[in-house]
Amino acid sequence: MSSRKRVLLGVLGSGRGSNFAAILSSIVSGRLSASIAVVISDREDAGILGLAREAQIQTVVLRQGRYRTRLDPDIEEELAQYLRRFQVDLVVLAGFLRVLKGPLLTAYPRRILNIHPSLLPAFKGKEAWKQALEAGVVETGCTVHWVEPEVDSGPILGQERVPICPGDTPESLHARIQEAEHRLYPDVIQRVIDRKLWQRIHS
Ligand code: GAR
């Protein structure tokens, strides 16, 4: 184990970055003892990049490849190299909408966290809040889990329940789930760090 104290996070996102903002605010307020080394996106117009730049955090935009839902293997390898270069200890997926296949999972085994907007194993995949509404369930929620090769299936580290209210639209329900995400994700990351559920691979 190195003498470097703070755990370095690498945050990956494709969207507006509200989970990134919640993690950053937990760090700034001292509730989360980590630092964000880099924010990486597959979309150059992603809001998460603007938020990171405002906070003077390094950003990287991945090359566009042949696929929409996953990364070309050489681009995923480049992603792993960026994370190593920034000495990232834990990879935090915060609305990263590409499925990770081989290279990153090999480079960061049991060091990649994801947040999903449902109570897994229910409603895996895209727009889980819409799936919950269409299924007519009375509650849904969000889940933080380790990333494994099978999508939305790795070991669960934490969940928060969210009620579905009469008259909910996809937008109102997703907004309520996101409020829960913003509480849950920083808490789980801190728990992972406290319990040493990962091992530092860079010194
Ligand atoms: C979050 O609601 C997250 O759970 C979801 O994307 C949103 C990103 O929002 N992720 C997935 O659906 C992954 N399957 P953000 O950019 O505001 O953090």
Side-chain angles (χ1 to χ4, degrees):
M1 185 73 76
S2 87
S3 58
R4 173 157 61 74
K5 285 203 191 72
R6 285 177 91 78
V7 172
L8 292 184
L9 308 178
V11 181
L12 273 53
S14 311
R16 70 189 182 100
S18 68
N19 278 286
F20 158 74
I23 291 165
L24 180 61
S25 138
S26 295
I27 290 173
V28 170
S29 69
R31 278 173 292 137
L32 175 53
S33 53
S35 297
I36 299 175
V38 63
V39 169
I40 302 181
S41 184
D42 56 325
R43 297 188 51 158
E44 62 185 359
D45 61 346
I48 192 172
L49 290 172
L51 293 178
R53 289 179 191 128
E54 271 172 33
Q56 300 191 327
I57 292 171
Q58 300 266 8
T59 59
V60 171
V61 181
L62 297 173
R63 284 192 291 122
Q64 293 306 302
R66 285 169 295 168
Y67 309 109
R68 282 174 159 256
T69 56
R70 62 186 170 106
L71 298 170
D72 290 25
D74 56 329
I75 299 178
E76 194 172 320
E77 183 54 52
E78 279 174 24
L79 169 56
Q81 283 169 14
Y82 282 124
L83 293 166
R84 286 196 205 97
R85 196 176 306 159
F86 282 95
Q87 301 201 324
V88 164
D89 298 307
L90 273 176
V91 182
V92 173
L93 305 188
F96 189 64
L97 297 181
R98 307 279 188 130
V99 176
L100 297 169
K101 294 280 178 181
L104 193 62
L105 301 180
T106 308
Y108 279 84
R110 255 316 142 80
R111 287 179 190 82
I112 309 175
L113 295 165
N114 183 43
I115 188 149
H116 184 78
S118 76
L119 294 174
L120 288 173
F123 311 126
K124 298 177 181 179
K126 279 178 62 178
E127 299 184 323
W129 58 92
K130 275 192 191 165
Q131 297 182 48
L133 268 185
E134 280 160 16
V137 292
V138 295
E139 70 170 7
T140 181
C142 52
T143 302
V144 177
H145 65 95
W146 289 119
V147 172
E148 290 198 339
E150 201 184 329
V151 176
D152 298 331
S153 298
I156 290 174
L157 293 161
Q159 294 186 308
E160 187 170 324
R161 295 174 178 280
V162 172
I164 298 184
C165 302
D168 255 337
T169 62
E171 293 72 26
S172 67
L173 179 56
H174 190 205
R176 195 176 310 114
I177 294 171
Q178 287 217 298
E179 285 174 24
E181 291 183 341
H182 301 161
R183 286 187 292 271
L184 181 70
Y185 216 176
D187 282 3
V188 172
I189 296 169
Q190 185 62 57
R191 204 156 17 96
V192 165
I193 292 170
D194 287 343
R195 295 193 187 163
K196 299 194 171 32
L197 295 178
W198 58 285
Q199 286 183 351
R200 182 164 279 156
I201 49 180
H202 308 285
S203 55

